[in-house]
Amino acid sequence: MGKYILADNQELTRFALESLLRQDEQNVVYRVSDKAGLVELLKKYENAIVLLDYTLFDFADEDQLLIVAERFALSEWILISDELTPKFLRRVVYASHQFSIVFKDSPLSEVREALQTVAHHQRFISQRALGAIISQQQEDDHPSILTETETEIVRAIAQGKTTKEIANERFSSVHTITTHRKNIFRKLGVNTAHEVIKYALRAGLVDSSEFYI
């Protein structure tokens, strides 16, 4: 019997993963919607397997994630997201053996393999994740300079504006702003808006008085 914690706020993915897990009637599946709920469940079930979409959860950065994993050293984690940056993958994979990696657009057979492997207390790293880690240049800590438009969008993100609000202000489509956001995340090597803001503050792209609290 395995205890699983689904930490994924995408309803369709959560339903699919739960269906896979419940094919074994001995499995017990719990759902959480935020970091606080996840920690409370891990206090009760320290050896649970956590299925986490990091990009949709309220972890501020990978440091918070690693701290929680270290606190519950008996837990095992399967990170399952649409996309994770090579920098993030390298940091997490090298920092802790608790983490396995698979992507939401992976073949179903690979997701099954990941679940089975981790259930046997072994680590699973998908070929795509391995490729991203290996191909990543060692000196990738100096992100590309943001364009003027991207810098303006970073400022808007720091002010707490939504993608739709930014699009309206710039007379652009939501799709265009979403594309800019993806480019910003890629250039800065981050996965969340919070990490974008942290970088922008450190780099002086925005003043602390502009930061949305």
Side-chain angles (χ1 to χ4, degrees), residues 1-202:
M1 180 182 73
K3 289 186 173 62
Y4 293 85
I5 300 174
L6 286 181
D8 190 319
N9 288 322
Q10 193 171 63
E11 188 172 2
L12 184 59
T13 304
R14 190 172 61 235
F15 175 80
L17 290 172
E18 187 167 355
S19 298
L20 281 174
L21 294 170
R22 291 194 184 280
Q23 288 179 2
D24 183 340
E25 295 181 356
Q26 292 186 314
N27 287 339
V28 180
V29 182
Y30 304 92
R31 294 182 178 187
V32 291
S33 59
D34 56 28
K35 178 165 59 72
L38 175 58
V39 169
E40 287 304 310
L41 267 180
L42 283 170
K43 288 178 182 177
K44 297 179 182 178
Y45 311 110
E46 293 187 352
N47 63 342
I49 296 173
V50 180
L51 278 69
L52 170 70
D53 186 337
Y54 171 79
T55 60
L56 295 181
F57 232 60
D58 60 339
F59 284 100
D61 51 32
E62 61 262 35
D63 288 331
Q64 275 196 2
L65 175 62
L66 291 168
I67 288 169
V68 173
E70 183 179 2
R71 178 180 175 185
F72 301 99
L74 297 179
S75 64
E76 296 178 89
W77 299 64
I78 301 176
L79 301 184
I80 177 165
S81 299
D82 288 320
E83 188 170 353
L84 294 167
T85 64
K87 181 180 177 182
F88 171 87
L89 290 171
R90 190 171 62 242
R91 170 84 190 282
V92 170
V93 167
Y94 289 169
S96 174
H97 244 65
Q98 292 170 260
F99 291 98
S100 294
I101 312 287
V102 71
F103 292 93
K104 288 186 175 180
D105 60 357
S106 298
L108 181 58
S109 59
E110 190 170 63
V111 177
R112 288 183 186 274
E113 185 180 357
L115 293 172
Q116 292 169 0
T117 300
V118 176
H120 288 88
H121 307 292
Q122 296 177 332
R123 176 188 249 188
F124 181 90
I125 306 294
S126 72
Q127 287 299 315
R128 175 179 161 189
L130 277 175
I133 294 168
I134 293 170
S135 65
Q136 180 73 14
Q137 296 179 357
Q138 290 290 349
E139 298 297 329
D140 193 34
D141 293 326
H142 304 288
S144 303
I145 297 173
L146 299 179
T147 66
E148 184 177 347
T149 296
E150 289 166 347
T151 301
E152 291 172 359
I153 291 173
V154 167
R155 290 195 183 101
I157 292 171
Q159 292 164 356
K161 295 175 182 176
T162 66
T163 299
K164 185 176 180 180
E165 288 172 335
I166 297 171
N168 289 338
E169 286 184 358
R170 300 187 61 81
F171 303 101
S172 298
S173 69
V174 170
H175 174 75
T176 297
I177 301 303
T178 299
T179 299
H180 280 307
R181 283 176 63 105
K182 287 181 179 179
N183 289 335
I184 291 166
F185 281 33
R186 175 179 54 79
K187 286 183 177 183
L188 300 183
V190 300
N191 295 288
T192 66
H194 187 89
E195 291 173 292
V196 169
I197 296 167
K198 284 176 64 176
Y199 174 85
L201 287 167
R202 289 197 303 268

